[in-house]
Amino acid sequence: MCLGIPGKVIDIEGAMAKVEIGAAHREISLQLLPETKVGNYVIIHAGFAIQLINEEEAKKTLDLLDSISNQMNGGQDEVY
Amino acid sequence: MKYIDEFRKRSAADGLIAKIKKIASKKVSLMEVCGTHTMAIFKYGIKNMLPERVNLISGPGCPVCVTPQIDIVRAIAISKLPNVMLASFGDMMRVPGGNTSLENEKAKGRDIRIVYSPLDSLDIAKKNKDKRVVFLGVGFETTSPSIAATILKAYDENINNLFFLSCHKLIPPTMKALLSLGEVRVDGFICPGHVSTLIGTIPYEFIAKDYNIPCVIAGFEPLDILQSILMLLEQINEGKALVKNQYTRCVKPEGNIKAMEILREVFEVSDSSWRGIGVIPKSGLKIREKYKNFDASAFEIEVEDIKEEEKGCICGNILRGINKPYDCKLFGKECTPLYPVGPCMVSTEGTCAAYYKYERRR
């Protein structure tokens, strides 16, 4: 039940926003995350944005994972 | 960046698995508290990638599974009152309560609606002024702020035909209760990432400090979970017990302050009954006096006493991490996702449902 999906905010009107989730569009509430701006990625749960996704932090995590991968092996970039 | 495929890269997963295999020197049991993690672990086959020394146990983090039968029975009784429409997340529809379920009652003609968001119940209330709309509020801290925000909105808009039956539960007090029961050995906790986007990292500190158990807050993609397991093993090897955050792209130490303010404005902490565990002090939420006009627990209903566990069902032990689904003699026989006996088989995120879907043939 704690499923949260990343979505990109493409339009904001008052406390509601339009988000893009893959190819789908959806209306969500920004009541819990009023600082959201157009262009932000947010985690969406039960029709609400619950947290911003921080791109810098995501890159840091991926860099660290790459360095572990380089240290342990040199596999190909396939996606599961 | 779309924040999905990037965290499913095979080369990175291979690197993490190799490193986990290299450093896992002793037998450890790690508990994933959250049901969404349980499903992700099975979906991506993570259990099978790990060395046997690393044992993953599922915890009580499926809100559907831990809602006691009596709450379902109450919801069903409310749905039978005149002029009532019940709204619920789809997950709750098939959970047995007494000898029926919301789905059965809907089939009998009760007005029970499945909604995706609590805001949908607000819309239903506005469109059906002559009805009393009751939302069955289940969920952990990921979900309860959304319910609180909906109640605030209904309050501001003077809506007087919308009510909430609060069955919400809190994660940190439950982890504490599990540990104080002392029934299961946990060497590390994989902490729920989305609950933590709201509550932050601080509420887990007591687990590291008082119980000396390392915690890692984890995201839900395969690389997130593997990295979290690695981070726990590193702490265990170094003899450390700290709260670390793997899911830094979404979890801030302070969480979502605004959302938690809204939650506290509407709800206060209360004792709460958990299926399979019993009453856990300060582990639930009830609606504050100021918003009592939205509280469906004031509805006058008659419910009969019911026994909480079905005969032979060991969901209680599974929720506490003591048993695995294979230990249950009903598993895969009398109890299947089509004909579930216990809540762990009903919920798509239940431990039994996950074992049935992904592990049964092995």
Side-chain angles (χ1 to χ4, degrees):
Chain A
M1 261 200 75
C2 284
L3 209 59
I5 316 163
K8 186 180 181 182
V9 177
I10 52 174
D11 193 23
I12 296 178
E13 216 179 298
M16 298 299 285
K18 195 183 267 180
V19 287
E20 196 177 73
I21 307 163
H25 286 184
R26 210 179 172 105
E27 289 271 332
I28 60 160
S29 167
L30 299 180
Q31 252 177 295
L32 301 175
L33 204 64
E35 66 267 39
T36 309
K37 295 190 173 57
V38 171
N40 285 162
Y41 271 87
V42 292
I43 292 285
I44 302 153
H45 173 80
F48 285 79
I50 57 170
Q51 192 53 274
L52 292 168
I53 306 182
N54 183 324
E55 191 177 348
E56 281 305 302
E57 288 294 340
K59 280 182 184 156
K60 270 195 231 166
T61 304
L62 291 172
D63 286 347
L64 176 64
L65 293 177
D66 278 344
S67 73
I68 294 173
S69 162
N70 289 337
Q71 178 199 334
M72 301 306 294
N73 60 37
Q76 313 95 28
D77 280 359
E78 285 172 49
V79 171
Y80 272 117
Chain B
M1 189 162 353
K2 304 266 192 216
Y3 305 99
I4 296 176
D5 286 352
E6 297 88 344
F7 293 89
R8 296 181 181 178
K9 241 168 44 180
R10 179 168 193 142
S11 58
D14 287 345
L16 284 166
I17 295 159
K19 191 153 184 194
I20 286 170
K21 284 184 175 159
K22 192 176 163 194
I23 73 160
S25 54
K26 57 181 177 185
K27 224 177 155 180
V28 291
S29 289
L30 310 178
M31 179 180 271
E32 87 271 0
V33 180
C34 171
T36 310
H37 273 145
T38 303
M39 278 317 276
I41 286 165
F42 279 102
K43 185 176 166 195
Y44 299 116
I46 287 175
K47 257 181 202 270
N48 306 327
M49 298 174 196
L50 298 175
E52 267 186 29
R53 297 183 291 283
V54 181
N55 177 31
L56 295 183
I57 26 181
S58 306
C62 158
V64 177
C65 306
V66 297
T67 301
Q69 284 213 49
I70 189 72
D71 285 348
I72 314 274
V73 171
R74 277 196 195 111
I76 290 168
I78 286 175
S79 78
K80 290 178 181 170
L81 293 173
N83 263 336
V84 162
M85 288 164 79
L86 193 81
S88 166
F89 291 128
D91 314 54
M92 293 305 290
M93 293 298 287
R94 297 177 60 226
V95 186
N99 51 9
T100 180
S101 67
L102 291 173
E103 190 179 56
N104 274 342
E105 293 300 313
K106 187 176 165 72
K108 284 184 202 159
R110 311 265 175 239
D111 199 342
I112 300 172
R113 311 278 177 105
I114 297 173
V115 294
Y116 159 73
S117 165
L119 284 177
D120 297 339
S121 64
L122 185 64
D123 283 339
I124 295 174
K126 284 183 194 169
K127 285 180 189 144
N128 296 277
K129 288 278 182 203
D130 55 332
K131 301 270 179 146
R132 295 184 288 172
V133 177
V134 180
F135 183 83
L136 175 56
V138 291
F140 295 122
E141 293 92 329
T142 317
T143 315
S144 43
S146 309
I147 315 277
T150 306
I151 294 178
L152 273 191
K153 200 163 184 228
Y155 181 85
D156 289 343
E157 295 179 16
N158 277 321
I159 306 288
N160 58 14
N161 63 326
L162 179 60
F163 306 88
F164 294 80
L165 191 62
S166 172
C167 308
H168 296 292
K169 310 259 186 264
L170 303 171
I171 282 286
T174 313
M175 293 169 79
K176 187 174 182 175
L178 263 188
L179 290 169
S180 22
L181 283 171
E183 297 168 319
V184 58
R185 196 188 116 191
V186 180
D187 300 299
F189 278 110
I190 300 170
C191 296
H194 288 143
V195 164
S196 309
T197 61
L198 279 307
I199 68 172
T201 64
I202 296 152
Y204 304 103
E205 290 287 348
F206 76 92
I207 298 170
K209 274 194 197 118
D210 301 348
Y211 294 90
N212 208 30
I213 298 175
C215 296
V216 172
I217 293 157
F220 295 88
E221 295 301 335
L223 294 186
D224 291 322
I225 296 169
L226 286 170
Q227 192 191 3
S228 303
I229 292 169
L230 177 65
M231 289 167 76
L232 281 172
L233 293 176
E234 283 170 344
Q235 286 201 57
I236 292 167
N237 282 358
E238 290 165 22
K240 286 183 181 161
L242 300 167
V243 177
K244 293 209 169 180
N245 182 8
Q246 181 279 331
Y247 201 28
T248 50
R249 65 184 183 279
C250 295
V251 175
K252 298 188 227 171
E254 70 277 16
N256 181 337
I257 292 169
K258 173 76 183 167
M260 293 308 281
E261 273 172 12
I262 290 175
L263 180 70
R264 279 189 285 266
E265 164 68 21
V266 176
F267 288 105
E268 60 186 315
V269 172
S270 65
D271 295 349
S272 181
S273 178
W274 291 61
R275 195 168 191 149
I277 300 178
V279 174
I280 302 180
K282 297 178 183 168
S283 70
L285 294 172
K286 67 173 186 187
I287 295 175
R288 282 187 193 277
E289 184 71 17
K290 182 177 175 190
Y291 301 98
K292 67 175 181 192
N293 289 346
F294 297 98
D295 194 349
S297 67
F299 280 34
E300 277 187 28
I301 43 167
E302 276 180 33
V303 286
E304 287 172 20
D305 271 350
I306 45 145
K307 58 175 185 348
E308 276 299 328
E309 295 289 349
E310 290 300 323
K311 206 176 170 194
C313 172
I314 60 163
C315 277
N317 285 2
I318 290 169
L319 290 169
R320 303 204 298 277
I322 303 168
N323 285 123
K324 295 213 171 181
Y326 295 132
D327 301 330
C328 180
K329 60 179 192 292
L330 305 181
F331 178 76
K333 300 187 182 85
E334 285 99 322
C335 187
T336 63
L338 209 53
Y339 299 102
V341 176
C344 297
M345 187 62 95
V346 180
S347 167
T348 48
E349 293 190 347
T351 309
C352 295
Y355 269 77
Y356 190 89
K357 187 170 178 190
Y358 294 106
E359 287 274 292
R360 192 168 45 104
R361 290 202 181 83
R362 282 169 51 80

